[in-house]
Amino acid sequence: MEQSITIKAKLLNIDNETAQAFVQSMEKYKDACNFISQYVFDNNFELSQSKLNKALYHEIRDQFGLKSQMAQSAIRNVIARYKTVRTQLSQKPYRFDTGKKDSKGHAIWSQIPRDLDWLWKPIEFKRPQLDLQRGRDWSYLSSAQQLSLNTLQGRKKVSFVCKGFDQYLDADKWKFGSIKLLQSKQNWYVHISATTSLPEYSPEEAEHVVGIDRGLHFLAACYDEAGKTLLYSGEKVLRTRRKYKKLRAELQSKGTKSAKRRLKQIGQRENRWMSDVNHCLTKTLIDHYGANTVFALEDLTDVRFATEQTAKDKRYEMVSWAFYQFEQFLTYKANLNSSIVVKVPAKYTSQRCPKCGRIHKENRDHKQHLYVCDRCGYKSNDDRLGAMNIQLLGTLYRSGEEAPQFNKQASAE
Protein backbone atom coordinates (compact mmCIF):
# COMPACT_ATOMS: atom_id res chain seq x y z
CA MET A 1 0.00 0.00 0.00
CA GLU A 2 1.24 3.48 -0.86
CA GLN A 3 0.61 6.49 1.36
CA SER A 4 1.08 10.04 0.10
CA ILE A 5 1.59 13.11 2.27
CA THR A 6 2.21 16.80 1.64
CA ILE A 7 5.33 18.45 3.04
CA LYS A 8 5.06 22.22 3.51
CA ALA A 9 8.21 24.35 3.32
CA LYS A 10 8.84 28.10 3.42
CA LEU A 11 11.21 29.63 0.88
CA LEU A 12 13.83 32.04 2.18
CA ASN A 13 15.57 35.16 0.84
CA ILE A 14 13.62 35.50 -2.41
CA ASP A 15 15.04 38.43 -4.41
CA ASN A 16 13.00 40.64 -6.74
CA GLU A 17 14.15 38.90 -9.93
CA THR A 18 13.21 35.46 -8.61
CA ALA A 19 9.89 36.76 -7.25
CA GLN A 20 8.99 38.25 -10.62
CA ALA A 21 9.83 34.98 -12.35
CA PHE A 22 7.60 33.12 -9.90
CA VAL A 23 4.70 35.57 -10.32
CA GLN A 24 4.78 35.54 -14.13
CA SER A 25 5.00 31.75 -14.30
CA MET A 26 2.17 31.29 -11.80
CA GLU A 27 -0.13 33.74 -13.62
CA LYS A 28 0.44 32.03 -16.98
CA TYR A 29 -0.10 28.63 -15.40
CA LYS A 30 -3.35 29.79 -13.78
CA ASP A 31 -4.59 31.23 -17.10
CA ALA A 32 -3.78 27.95 -18.83
CA CYS A 33 -5.73 26.00 -16.19
CA ASN A 34 -8.79 28.23 -16.71
CA PHE A 35 -8.47 27.75 -20.49
CA ILE A 36 -8.40 23.95 -20.05
CA SER A 37 -11.29 24.11 -17.58
CA GLN A 38 -13.44 25.97 -20.11
CA TYR A 39 -12.66 23.32 -22.72
CA VAL A 40 -13.59 20.50 -20.31
CA PHE A 41 -16.86 22.26 -19.47
CA ASP A 42 -17.72 22.81 -23.15
CA ASN A 43 -16.90 19.23 -24.18
CA ASN A 44 -19.08 17.09 -21.92
CA PHE A 45 -16.51 17.05 -19.11
CA GLU A 46 -13.84 15.20 -21.03
CA LEU A 47 -11.32 14.06 -18.41
CA SER A 48 -9.06 11.78 -20.42
CA GLN A 49 -5.43 12.91 -20.09
CA SER A 50 -4.51 11.58 -23.55
CA LYS A 51 -7.50 13.19 -25.30
CA LEU A 52 -7.01 16.57 -23.61
CA ASN A 53 -3.30 16.42 -24.36
CA LYS A 54 -4.02 15.73 -28.05
CA ALA A 55 -6.57 18.54 -28.28
CA LEU A 56 -4.88 21.25 -26.23
CA TYR A 57 -1.15 20.63 -25.74
CA HIS A 58 0.22 22.71 -28.61
CA GLU A 59 -2.33 25.49 -28.10
CA ILE A 60 -1.42 25.74 -24.42
CA ARG A 61 2.26 26.05 -25.24
CA ASP A 62 1.71 28.60 -28.00
CA GLN A 63 -0.88 30.75 -26.22
CA PHE A 64 0.55 30.78 -22.70
CA GLY A 65 4.22 30.05 -23.33
CA LEU A 66 4.34 27.17 -20.87
CA LYS A 67 7.16 24.70 -21.07
CA SER A 68 6.42 21.11 -22.05
CA GLN A 69 6.10 19.60 -18.58
CA MET A 70 4.20 22.62 -17.25
CA ALA A 71 1.57 22.18 -19.97
CA GLN A 72 1.17 18.52 -18.99
CA SER A 73 0.93 19.51 -15.31
CA ALA A 74 -1.78 22.06 -16.06
CA ILE A 75 -3.91 19.39 -17.77
CA ARG A 76 -3.41 16.98 -14.86
CA ASN A 77 -4.26 19.72 -12.36
CA VAL A 78 -7.57 20.50 -14.07
CA ILE A 79 -8.50 16.82 -14.35
CA ALA A 80 -7.79 16.31 -10.64
CA ARG A 81 -9.92 19.33 -9.67
CA TYR A 82 -12.91 18.13 -11.72
CA LYS A 83 -12.63 14.62 -10.28
CA THR A 84 -12.59 16.07 -6.76
CA VAL A 85 -15.70 18.15 -7.46
CA ARG A 86 -17.40 15.11 -9.00
CA THR A 87 -16.74 13.13 -5.83
CA GLN A 88 -18.03 15.95 -3.64
CA LEU A 89 -21.21 16.24 -5.70
CA SER A 90 -21.84 12.49 -5.50
CA GLN A 91 -21.53 12.63 -1.71
CA LYS A 92 -24.04 15.48 -1.43
CA PRO A 93 -27.19 14.58 -3.38
CA TYR A 94 -29.83 17.23 -4.07
CA ARG A 95 -32.52 16.99 -1.40
CA PHE A 96 -36.05 18.26 -1.94
CA ASP A 97 -39.46 18.16 -0.29
CA THR A 98 -41.84 15.92 -2.25
CA GLY A 99 -44.85 17.71 -0.80
CA LYS A 100 -46.13 14.45 0.68
CA LYS A 101 -46.54 13.47 4.34
CA ASP A 102 -45.88 10.20 6.12
CA SER A 103 -48.26 8.53 8.59
CA LYS A 104 -47.02 10.79 11.40
CA GLY A 105 -47.50 13.96 9.37
CA HIS A 106 -43.81 14.54 8.72
CA ALA A 107 -42.63 15.82 5.35
CA ILE A 108 -41.25 13.16 3.00
CA TRP A 109 -37.92 14.16 1.47
CA SER A 110 -36.30 12.68 -1.58
CA GLN A 111 -32.77 12.80 -3.03
CA ILE A 112 -31.38 13.09 -6.54
CA PRO A 113 -27.77 12.05 -7.17
CA ARG A 114 -25.59 14.79 -8.61
CA ASP A 115 -22.72 14.71 -11.10
CA LEU A 116 -20.71 17.28 -13.06
CA ASP A 117 -23.75 18.12 -15.20
CA TRP A 118 -25.00 20.09 -12.18
CA LEU A 119 -22.22 22.66 -12.67
CA TRP A 120 -23.49 25.98 -14.05
CA LYS A 121 -20.07 27.24 -15.10
CA PRO A 122 -16.52 25.93 -15.48
CA ILE A 123 -14.40 25.46 -12.38
CA GLU A 124 -12.39 28.65 -11.95
CA PHE A 125 -8.78 28.76 -10.82
CA LYS A 126 -8.50 32.05 -8.93
CA ARG A 127 -5.30 31.71 -6.95
CA PRO A 128 -2.01 31.85 -8.90
CA GLN A 129 -0.01 28.66 -8.48
CA LEU A 130 2.53 26.53 -10.30
CA ASP A 131 2.88 22.73 -10.32
CA LEU A 132 6.37 21.41 -11.00
CA GLN A 133 7.26 17.76 -11.66
CA ARG A 134 10.14 16.03 -9.92
CA GLY A 135 13.23 15.70 -12.13
CA ARG A 136 11.85 17.73 -15.03
CA ASP A 137 10.90 20.96 -13.26
CA TRP A 138 12.37 20.75 -9.78
CA SER A 139 15.13 19.01 -7.88
CA TYR A 140 16.76 19.01 -4.46
CA LEU A 141 20.38 20.15 -4.36
CA SER A 142 21.75 18.18 -1.40
CA SER A 143 25.18 19.87 -1.44
CA ALA A 144 23.67 23.34 -1.02
CA GLN A 145 20.45 22.17 0.70
CA GLN A 146 18.44 24.18 -1.80
CA LEU A 147 15.57 23.65 -4.21
CA SER A 148 15.99 24.22 -7.93
CA LEU A 149 12.66 25.39 -9.37
CA ASN A 150 11.90 25.84 -13.05
CA THR A 151 10.15 29.01 -14.27
CA LEU A 152 9.40 30.56 -17.65
CA GLN A 153 12.59 32.60 -17.11
CA GLY A 154 14.76 29.58 -16.32
CA ARG A 155 15.84 27.72 -13.19
CA LYS A 156 15.89 29.47 -9.81
CA LYS A 157 17.81 28.11 -6.83
CA VAL A 158 16.25 28.94 -3.47
CA SER A 159 16.86 28.13 0.17
CA PHE A 160 14.03 26.83 2.34
CA VAL A 161 13.12 25.81 5.87
CA CYS A 162 11.09 22.73 6.78
CA LYS A 163 11.12 21.08 10.19
CA GLY A 164 12.03 17.40 9.97
CA PHE A 165 12.78 17.50 6.22
CA ASP A 166 15.82 15.19 6.59
CA GLN A 167 13.60 12.18 7.30
CA TYR A 168 12.16 12.40 3.78
CA LEU A 169 15.59 12.22 2.13
CA ASP A 170 15.79 8.47 2.68
CA ALA A 171 15.32 7.33 -0.93
CA ASP A 172 14.62 3.74 0.19
CA LYS A 173 11.57 4.91 2.16
CA TRP A 174 10.28 8.11 0.57
CA LYS A 175 9.78 9.15 -3.04
CA PHE A 176 9.20 12.79 -3.95
CA GLY A 177 6.54 13.80 -6.46
CA SER A 178 5.37 17.20 -7.65
CA ILE A 179 5.82 20.60 -6.01
CA LYS A 180 3.14 23.27 -5.80
CA LEU A 181 4.48 26.83 -5.58
CA LEU A 182 2.29 29.30 -3.67
CA GLN A 183 2.47 32.86 -2.38
CA SER A 184 0.84 34.16 0.81
CA LYS A 185 1.19 37.93 1.21
CA GLN A 186 4.94 38.54 0.92
CA ASN A 187 5.96 34.97 1.76
CA TRP A 188 6.62 32.08 -0.61
CA TYR A 189 5.88 28.43 0.10
CA VAL A 190 6.12 25.06 -1.62
CA HIS A 191 3.97 21.98 -0.99
CA ILE A 192 5.97 18.87 -1.82
CA SER A 193 4.20 15.56 -2.34
CA ALA A 194 5.98 12.49 -0.98
CA THR A 195 4.97 8.84 -1.16
CA THR A 196 6.04 5.87 0.90
CA SER A 197 5.27 2.16 0.54
CA LEU A 198 3.65 0.52 3.55
CA PRO A 199 2.98 -3.17 4.18
CA GLU A 200 -0.63 -4.19 3.80
CA TYR A 201 -2.32 -3.99 7.18
CA SER A 202 -4.99 -6.49 8.14
CA PRO A 203 -7.60 -5.47 10.74
CA GLU A 204 -7.35 -8.97 12.25
CA GLU A 205 -3.83 -8.05 13.45
CA ALA A 206 -5.06 -5.08 15.49
CA GLU A 207 -4.60 -5.10 19.27
CA HIS A 208 -7.02 -2.24 19.91
CA VAL A 209 -10.41 -1.21 18.54
CA VAL A 210 -11.58 2.35 19.15
CA GLY A 211 -15.02 3.68 18.27
CA ILE A 212 -15.14 7.41 17.52
CA ASP A 213 -18.38 9.36 17.43
CA ARG A 214 -17.94 12.78 15.76
CA GLY A 215 -20.13 15.69 16.75
CA LEU A 216 -20.31 19.30 17.84
CA HIS A 217 -20.89 18.93 21.60
CA PHE A 218 -17.87 16.62 21.61
CA LEU A 219 -15.65 16.79 18.52
CA ALA A 220 -14.66 13.20 19.25
CA ALA A 221 -16.17 10.80 21.76
CA CYS A 222 -13.93 7.71 21.92
CA TYR A 223 -14.53 4.29 23.45
CA ASP A 224 -12.02 1.42 23.37
CA GLU A 225 -12.04 -2.34 23.97
CA ALA A 226 -11.01 -1.83 27.61
CA GLY A 227 -14.18 0.15 28.30
CA LYS A 228 -12.34 3.46 28.66
CA THR A 229 -13.85 6.68 27.33
CA LEU A 230 -12.17 9.84 26.04
CA LEU A 231 -14.25 12.93 25.33
CA TYR A 232 -12.84 15.95 23.45
CA SER A 233 -15.09 18.92 24.11
CA GLY A 234 -16.26 21.07 21.22
CA GLU A 235 -17.48 24.01 23.33
CA LYS A 236 -14.39 26.14 22.69
CA VAL A 237 -14.66 25.41 18.97
CA LEU A 238 -18.32 26.44 18.94
CA ARG A 239 -17.53 29.72 20.70
CA THR A 240 -14.78 30.51 18.20
CA ARG A 241 -17.00 29.72 15.23
CA ARG A 242 -19.77 31.91 16.58
CA LYS A 243 -17.25 34.73 16.93
CA TYR A 244 -16.30 34.38 13.26
CA LYS A 245 -19.97 34.17 12.29
CA LYS A 246 -20.80 37.39 14.17
CA LEU A 247 -17.83 39.20 12.64
CA ARG A 248 -18.83 38.09 9.13
CA ALA A 249 -22.39 39.34 9.66
CA GLU A 250 -21.09 42.75 10.75
CA LEU A 251 -18.80 43.05 7.72
CA GLN A 252 -21.50 41.84 5.32
CA SER A 253 -23.88 44.52 6.60
CA LYS A 254 -21.30 47.19 5.75
CA GLY A 255 -20.78 46.02 2.17
CA THR A 256 -17.73 48.24 1.54
CA LYS A 257 -14.68 47.14 -0.46
CA SER A 258 -12.52 47.06 2.64
CA ALA A 259 -15.18 44.95 4.40
CA LYS A 260 -15.18 42.47 1.50
CA ARG A 261 -11.39 42.20 1.63
CA ARG A 262 -11.64 41.58 5.36
CA LEU A 263 -14.30 38.91 4.77
CA LYS A 264 -11.97 37.03 2.45
CA GLN A 265 -9.15 37.17 5.00
CA ILE A 266 -11.42 35.93 7.77
CA GLY A 267 -12.63 33.00 5.66
CA GLN A 268 -9.07 31.87 4.98
CA ARG A 269 -8.12 32.32 8.62
CA GLU A 270 -11.08 30.27 9.84
CA ASN A 271 -10.29 27.47 7.39
CA ARG A 272 -6.66 27.37 8.57
CA TRP A 273 -7.82 27.30 12.17
CA MET A 274 -10.25 24.44 11.48
CA SER A 275 -7.49 22.44 9.78
CA ASP A 276 -5.19 23.02 12.75
CA VAL A 277 -7.84 21.80 15.20
CA ASN A 278 -8.37 18.63 13.16
CA HIS A 279 -4.61 18.08 12.82
CA CYS A 280 -4.02 18.43 16.57
CA LEU A 281 -6.98 16.25 17.50
CA THR A 282 -6.11 13.40 15.12
CA LYS A 283 -2.44 13.49 16.20
CA THR A 284 -3.56 13.27 19.83
CA LEU A 285 -5.68 10.20 19.06
CA ILE A 286 -2.86 8.46 17.20
CA ASP A 287 -0.36 9.17 19.98
CA HIS A 288 -2.78 8.08 22.72
CA TYR A 289 -3.87 4.75 21.28
CA GLY A 290 -0.59 3.84 19.56
CA ALA A 291 0.07 1.37 16.77
CA ASN A 292 -2.01 -1.69 15.79
CA THR A 293 -5.32 0.08 16.32
CA VAL A 294 -8.57 -0.08 14.38
CA PHE A 295 -10.24 3.33 14.46
CA ALA A 296 -13.94 2.86 13.64
CA LEU A 297 -15.85 5.89 12.32
CA GLU A 298 -19.43 6.33 11.21
CA ASP A 299 -19.85 6.44 7.46
CA LEU A 300 -21.39 9.90 7.05
CA THR A 301 -21.77 9.67 3.27
CA ASP A 302 -25.29 10.83 2.34
CA VAL A 303 -26.00 11.57 6.01
CA ARG A 304 -27.55 15.00 6.46
CA PHE A 305 -28.04 16.74 9.79
CA ALA A 306 -31.68 17.64 10.47
CA THR A 307 -31.21 21.40 10.25
CA GLU A 308 -34.95 22.01 9.93
CA GLN A 309 -35.26 21.00 13.60
CA THR A 310 -32.40 23.27 14.69
CA ALA A 311 -32.70 26.93 15.64
CA LYS A 312 -31.66 29.21 12.76
CA ASP A 313 -28.89 30.88 14.74
CA LYS A 314 -27.25 27.46 15.29
CA ARG A 315 -27.65 25.92 11.82
CA TYR A 316 -24.32 27.24 10.54
CA GLU A 317 -22.39 25.43 13.28
CA MET A 318 -24.48 22.30 12.71
CA VAL A 319 -23.61 21.77 9.05
CA SER A 320 -20.24 23.38 8.44
CA TRP A 321 -17.66 21.63 10.61
CA ALA A 322 -15.01 19.72 8.59
CA PHE A 323 -15.85 16.14 9.65
CA TYR A 324 -14.59 14.72 6.34
CA GLN A 325 -11.25 16.50 6.80
CA PHE A 326 -10.96 14.93 10.26
CA GLU A 327 -11.49 11.52 8.62
CA GLN A 328 -8.81 12.20 5.99
CA PHE A 329 -6.25 13.35 8.55
CA LEU A 330 -6.90 10.40 10.85
CA THR A 331 -6.70 7.93 7.94
CA TYR A 332 -3.27 8.93 6.65
CA LYS A 333 -1.80 9.28 10.16
CA ALA A 334 -3.16 5.85 11.09
CA ASN A 335 -1.65 4.31 7.96
CA LEU A 336 1.76 5.75 8.85
CA ASN A 337 1.43 4.34 12.38
CA SER A 338 0.59 0.71 11.52
CA SER A 339 -3.11 1.26 12.15
CA ILE A 340 -6.24 1.54 10.05
CA VAL A 341 -9.46 3.55 9.83
CA VAL A 342 -12.65 1.69 8.94
CA LYS A 343 -16.10 3.15 8.30
CA VAL A 344 -19.21 1.47 9.64
CA PRO A 345 -22.91 2.24 9.02
CA ALA A 346 -24.19 5.15 11.09
CA LYS A 347 -27.72 3.75 11.28
CA TYR A 348 -28.99 3.21 14.84
CA THR A 349 -25.60 3.90 16.50
CA SER A 350 -27.19 6.70 18.57
CA GLN A 351 -30.42 4.77 19.27
CA ARG A 352 -29.16 1.35 20.39
CA CYS A 353 -28.67 0.35 24.01
CA PRO A 354 -25.23 -1.29 24.28
CA LYS A 355 -26.37 -3.37 27.27
CA CYS A 356 -29.56 -5.04 26.00
CA GLY A 357 -29.51 -4.16 22.29
CA ARG A 358 -32.82 -2.27 22.37
CA ILE A 359 -33.17 0.24 19.49
CA HIS A 360 -35.61 3.00 20.31
CA LYS A 361 -35.30 6.55 19.00
CA GLU A 362 -37.19 8.15 21.88
CA ASN A 363 -34.65 6.86 24.42
CA ARG A 364 -32.27 9.65 23.43
CA ASP A 365 -32.71 13.16 24.85
CA HIS A 366 -30.83 15.53 22.53
CA LYS A 367 -31.14 18.56 24.79
CA GLN A 368 -29.67 16.85 27.84
CA HIS A 369 -27.28 14.67 25.77
CA LEU A 370 -28.60 11.67 27.66
CA TYR A 371 -29.66 8.16 26.65
CA VAL A 372 -31.93 6.15 28.97
CA CYS A 373 -33.03 2.68 27.86
CA ASP A 374 -36.74 2.09 28.44
CA ARG A 375 -36.15 -1.68 28.62
CA CYS A 376 -33.18 -2.21 30.97
CA GLY A 377 -32.73 1.31 32.40
CA TYR A 378 -29.15 1.74 31.15
CA LYS A 379 -28.03 5.40 31.19
CA SER A 380 -25.18 7.10 29.36
CA ASN A 381 -24.12 10.29 27.65
CA ASP A 382 -25.52 10.00 24.12
CA ASP A 383 -22.18 10.74 22.42
CA ARG A 384 -20.42 8.13 24.54
CA LEU A 385 -23.19 5.67 23.71
CA GLY A 386 -22.67 6.29 20.00
CA ALA A 387 -18.95 5.61 20.39
CA MET A 388 -19.71 2.35 22.23
CA ASN A 389 -21.92 1.10 19.39
CA ILE A 390 -19.40 2.17 16.77
CA GLN A 391 -16.67 0.35 18.71
CA LEU A 392 -18.80 -2.83 18.68
CA LEU A 393 -19.19 -2.63 14.90
CA GLY A 394 -15.43 -2.07 14.61
CA THR A 395 -14.84 -5.18 16.73
CA LEU A 396 -17.11 -7.21 14.45
CA TYR A 397 -15.20 -5.87 11.45
CA ARG A 398 -11.89 -6.91 13.01
CA SER A 399 -13.33 -10.38 13.58
CA GLY A 400 -13.87 -10.78 9.86
CA GLU A 401 -17.45 -9.63 9.37
CA GLU A 402 -17.39 -7.66 6.11
CA ALA A 403 -20.40 -5.36 6.63
CA PRO A 404 -21.41 -5.29 10.30
CA GLN A 405 -24.58 -3.33 11.04
CA PHE A 406 -27.41 -3.12 13.55
CA ASN A 407 -30.85 -4.52 12.82
CA LYS A 408 -33.89 -2.90 14.43
CA GLN A 409 -36.06 -5.98 14.00
CA ALA A 410 -33.53 -8.13 15.81
CA SER A 411 -33.41 -5.68 18.70
CA ALA A 412 -37.18 -5.94 19.19
CA GLU A 413 -37.08 -9.69 19.71
Side-chain angles (χ1 to χ4, degrees), residues 22-32 64 66 126-130:
F22 285 168
V23 169
Q24 293 175 12
S25 300
M26 292 166 66
E27 286 289 347
K28 289 292 185 181
Y29 184 86
K30 180 195 71 173
D31 293 341
F64 303 100
L66 295 186
K126 298 180 180 179
R127 187 179 184 182
Q129 64 179 47
L130 182 62

Side-chain angles (χ1 to χ4, degrees), residues 210-214 220-223 229 231 296-298 344-354 364 369-371 378 380-394 406:
V210 180
I212 303 177
D213 181 71
R214 291 166 285 176
C222 309
Y223 185 84
T229 304
L231 302 174
L297 301 176
E298 291 175 300
V344 298
K347 198 169 185 180
Y348 304 130
T349 54
S350 296
Q351 302 175 20
R352 178 184 177 274
C353 174
R364 183 185 184 189
H369 296 283
L370 180 66
Y371 182 94
Y378 178 81
S380 177
N381 172 276
D382 58 353
D383 295 300
R384 176 178 179 270
L385 176 125
M388 295 174 71
N389 285 318
I390 295 169
Q391 195 273 340
L392 175 58
L393 292 177
F406 295 125

Side-chain angles (χ1 to χ4, degrees), residues 176-229:
F176 288 127
S178 62
I179 265 186
K180 187 181 293 293
L181 178 64
L182 302 166
Q183 183 182 20
S184 178
K185 297 182 179 179
Q186 302 302 317
N187 298 317
W188 291 91
Y189 300 88
V190 289
H191 294 178
I192 309 171
S193 67
T195 303
T196 185
S197 295
L198 301 172
E200 291 292 337
Y201 185 81
S202 175
E204 290 81 1
E205 303 172 6
E207 299 176 4
H208 312 289
V209 179
V210 180
I212 303 177
D213 181 71
R214 291 166 285 176
L216 297 175
H217 183 61
F218 292 109
L219 291 182
C222 309
Y223 185 84
D224 62 23
E225 76 288 343
K228 295 182 179 180
T229 304

Side-chain angles (χ1 to χ4, degrees), residues 98-112:
T98 61
K100 300 179 181 179
K101 304 287 184 179
D102 60 16
S103 58
K104 295 183 179 180
H106 298 152
I108 298 177
W109 293 78
S110 184
Q111 294 181 343
I112 299 177

Side-chain angles (χ1 to χ4, degrees), residues 139-157:
S139 59
Y140 173 68
L141 307 177
S142 56
S143 58
Q145 295 185 341
Q146 290 182 316
L147 297 175
S148 174
L149 307 178
N150 202 8
T151 70
L152 299 183
Q153 287 73 38
R155 289 265 180 171
K156 302 296 179 182
K157 298 178 182 179

Side-chain angles (χ1 to χ4, degrees), residues 330-350:
L330 185 64
T331 298
Y332 89 79
K333 290 175 183 178
N335 290 342
L336 294 173
N337 197 50
S338 300
S339 298
I340 190 172
V341 171
V342 299
K343 294 196 292 185
V344 298
K347 198 169 185 180
Y348 304 130
T349 54
S350 296

